[in-house]
Amino acid sequence: MAKTAIFLANGFEEIEGLTVVDILRRAQIDITMVSITGTKAVEGSHGIKLEADATIESFDFGDVDMIILPGGMPGTKNLDACEPLKAKIKEFNDAGKMLAAICAAPTVYGKMGLLNGKRACCYPGCEGELLGATTTTDAVIKDGNFITSRGMGTAIPFALAILEHFKGKEAADQMAKGIVFNS
């Protein structure tokens, strides 16, 4: 079974993070919510508090197939300042493992130079931080080992693209139908 991890920082966009968690769990794809705050407690950008499944300090990246980053402010800045996370992102990229991000969070990959030569999308106005990428206004872009998306309004297509990566288009289409998305 595929194993994914979504990294949560204080100030993350709740819909972008929790939509992915919800859809992947419905699809029986293992997803762990990992806090970078030093505790399992995380507060979203709109004051919604939650308890993550693990902290980055205690999390075992060994068998993880994909790292996922939600956007939001100051969540994205907090993710970008997390050196242990960025070290793992670099390892994942070097190994050709999957990296996904939505909203402003693709800038974390962009500023690391990982999107150079790739097609990518992000929240409007953040394109300049996707260094070397060809930016688009598509809702979701998959290019190589990256899946990027634009914002809260594209959270469902983003989650469905991750589902499609692991279980195929038919599974993603069935999920979309089951949650009454674009019916």
Side-chain angles (χ1 to χ4, degrees):
M1 176 162 73
K3 185 171 182 180
T4 65
I6 189 162
F7 289 82
L8 304 177
N10 285 328
F12 78 98
E13 170 53 56
E14 295 95 339
I15 288 177
E16 295 165 3
L18 297 178
T19 298
V20 172
V21 172
D22 181 282
I23 287 178
L24 294 188
R25 288 187 178 170
R26 286 174 192 252
Q28 299 179 338
I29 293 173
D30 186 331
I31 183 164
T32 303
M33 295 185 296
V34 183
S35 167
I36 68 159
T37 68
T39 71
K40 289 183 179 181
V42 185
E43 184 173 339
S45 60
H46 300 96
I48 299 172
K49 297 175 184 176
L50 64 82
E51 183 174 321
D53 303 311
T55 63
I56 193 168
E57 294 84 3
S58 66
F59 186 64
D60 179 7
F61 286 82
D63 56 355
V64 173
D65 300 300
M66 178 184 282
I67 287 174
I68 304 165
L69 305 180
M73 286 296 174
T76 297
K77 288 181 180 181
N78 291 332
L79 291 172
D80 191 44
C82 182
E83 293 303 324
L85 175 59
K86 288 179 21 180
K88 288 298 181 182
I89 288 168
K90 183 177 182 331
E91 285 178 25
F92 267 58
N93 188 63
D94 290 349
K97 289 176 121 181
M98 292 301 296
L99 297 163
I102 185 170
C103 193
T107 64
V108 174
Y109 303 147
K111 289 193 276 184
M112 293 175 70
L114 304 180
L115 296 176
N116 191 32
K118 306 266 187 205
R119 291 176 62 240
C121 59
C122 61
Y123 189 77
C126 295
E127 295 88 355
E129 295 185 67
L130 303 186
L131 303 179
T134 300
T135 60
T136 76
T137 58
D138 295 351
V140 180
I141 296 288
K142 182 177 181 196
D143 190 348
N145 61 317
F146 289 90
I147 298 174
T148 56
S149 190
R150 299 198 65 212
M152 184 180 90
T154 64
I156 291 175
F158 177 62
L160 292 172
I162 294 169
L163 168 57
E164 182 176 338
H165 171 77
F166 288 112
K167 293 200 169 183
K169 182 166 177 28
E170 185 177 329
D173 289 347
Q174 288 209 326
M175 178 66 68
K177 182 179 179 185
I179 63 171
V180 195
F181 181 69
N182 284 339
S183 305

